[in-house]
Amino acid sequence: MVLTQKDKEYLLDLRHEMRGLGQLKEAVNETVYTLNGNEITAEKTRELFGKENFLSGFSRSAFHWSTSREIDGSNKVVEFDSSSPFA
C-alpha cells in the first residue's frame, strides 16, 4: 500500500511531524493487520474503517508497536501490529 499525498496531509493534521512520515511509509506495509485473529491486508483494514480511522489506528501502531480498534457497531476487532520493523 502506498500512502497518498492526502494521507500524508491527514497524518500531519494528526500532529505527526514531517520527519516521521518516512517511518509511516515503511511501516504501513510491514504492519500485520488481524481481524478477530485472522490476518487481513492494509487495504481491507482501510476499507473496514475508512481512511481517517485507518490512518489514526495505523499511525498509533507505527509509533507504539501495536494497537487495536473495534469496528463501529460490531464485536469485530482489528489489531495493528507494527513491531516487526523495529525488532
Side-chain angles (χ1 to χ4, degrees):
M1 166 178 254
V2 175
L3 296 175
T4 67
Q5 184 61 36
K6 289 198 180 270
D7 292 342
K8 294 173 191 173
E9 290 169 7
Y10 182 75
L11 291 166
L12 292 171
D13 287 345
L14 291 178
R15 300 193 190 264
H16 289 289
E17 296 182 12
M18 184 67 79
R19 64 184 177 169
L21 291 181
Q23 181 172 333
L24 291 169
K25 286 176 15 182
E26 178 184 340
V28 73
N29 293 309
E30 298 292 327
T31 297
V32 176
Y33 307 89
T34 56
L35 172 59
N36 293 339
N38 299 307
E39 191 169 332
I40 60 175
T41 64
E43 290 82 3
K44 178 65 175 176
T45 305
R46 186 177 178 135
E47 178 184 311
L48 290 169
F49 285 104
K51 178 183 88 169
E52 292 177 357
N53 288 331
F54 166 74
L55 291 171
S56 171
F58 155 70
S59 65
R60 175 155 178 83
S61 176
F63 289 102
H64 297 277
W65 288 34
S66 66
T67 195
S68 63
R69 296 284 195 265
E70 183 176 19
I71 299 171
D72 290 337
S74 74
N75 290 326
K76 297 178 180 179
V77 174
V78 175
E79 295 181 17
F80 300 69
D81 182 351
S82 301
S83 63
S84 177
F86 310 110

